[in-house]
Amino acid sequence: MEFKKMRRRDKELPPEVAKKILRNGSFGVLSTADAKGIPYGVPVNYVYVDNVIYIHSATVGHKLQNIASNSDVSFCVVQRAEVIPEKFSTDYRSAIAFGRAIIVQDSQEKVDSLKKLVAKYSADFLSEGAEEIDASLDVTAVIRIDILHLTGKGSGED
């Protein structure tokens, strides 16, 4: 798969900064397309670990149907976006990952990724999170995005 180079190279962030944006983001937008190419973007909670993004999901739904027919996805995280009216501009930082999505079938990987999600979003409730994982594992899907290409873009100071 060939990826386009960023048009505004002056706005391109180094790869380590893009990874930091992914690590620290509070939510991202998963973009999929169905078998006919009709796009669908949905905001989701996620965790980024070792060049992989994990997302939890119900076991049925639009994004899962799309992934089943077309595993190519993109995932965008916006770290900040502050409009600067007097400059007709925006101070922003974002990262976009391109990759292939799969529905995790391995139960250990599924549990491990859900625990990482709990650690990210509910660090003060790890034991309760583990109980919730056990209670809802059969009705929870996990999507893994193997990142093939990552870009970061931004303006303003860090």
Side-chain angles (χ1 to χ4, degrees):
M1 186 178 297
E2 188 174 330
F3 297 96
K4 294 182 180 182
K5 295 201 184 296
M6 192 175 297
R7 184 183 63 82
R8 291 288 311 267
R9 301 292 293 216
D10 59 314
K11 303 283 186 184
E12 188 172 8
L13 299 173
E16 286 308 313
V17 175
K19 290 177 184 178
K20 183 178 178 185
I21 292 168
L22 277 184
R23 266 193 308 277
N24 297 330
S26 58
F27 75 95
V29 176
L30 173 65
S31 295
T32 63
D34 67 15
K36 295 179 183 177
I38 298 172
Y40 175 67
V42 60
V44 294
N45 291 333
Y46 73 97
V47 65
Y48 169 72
V49 181
D50 299 328
N51 209 43
V52 170
I53 296 166
Y54 287 104
I55 300 164
H56 70 92
S57 173
T59 57
V60 295
H62 198 158
K63 63 184 170 288
L64 296 181
Q65 288 175 339
N66 285 1
I67 290 167
S69 64
N70 181 353
S71 64
D72 293 328
V73 300
S74 70
F75 187 79
C76 177
V77 174
V78 177
Q79 185 179 47
R80 69 166 187 256
E82 182 181 338
V83 175
I84 307 169
E86 67 277 9
K87 292 188 178 180
F88 307 100
S89 186
T90 302
D91 177 18
Y92 66 93
R93 290 171 80 79
S94 63
I96 299 178
F98 300 88
R100 294 233 164 76
I102 65 149
I103 309 308
V104 174
Q105 300 300 320
D106 179 77
S107 57
Q108 190 60 55
E109 181 180 7
K110 189 174 170 181
V111 169
D112 290 346
S113 62
L114 291 169
K115 286 182 178 179
K116 289 174 184 167
L117 280 158
V118 169
K120 178 179 179 179
Y121 291 101
S122 301
D124 292 337
F125 303 94
L126 296 180
S127 61
E128 295 90 341
E131 291 173 12
E132 182 67 22
I133 290 168
D134 288 343
S136 61
L137 196 60
D138 291 341
V139 294
T140 303
V142 171
I143 300 164
R144 183 182 79 219
I145 301 171
D146 296 319
I147 298 174
L148 302 173
H149 184 67
L150 176 64
T151 61
K153 189 174 180 183
S155 65
E157 299 298 317
D158 185 19

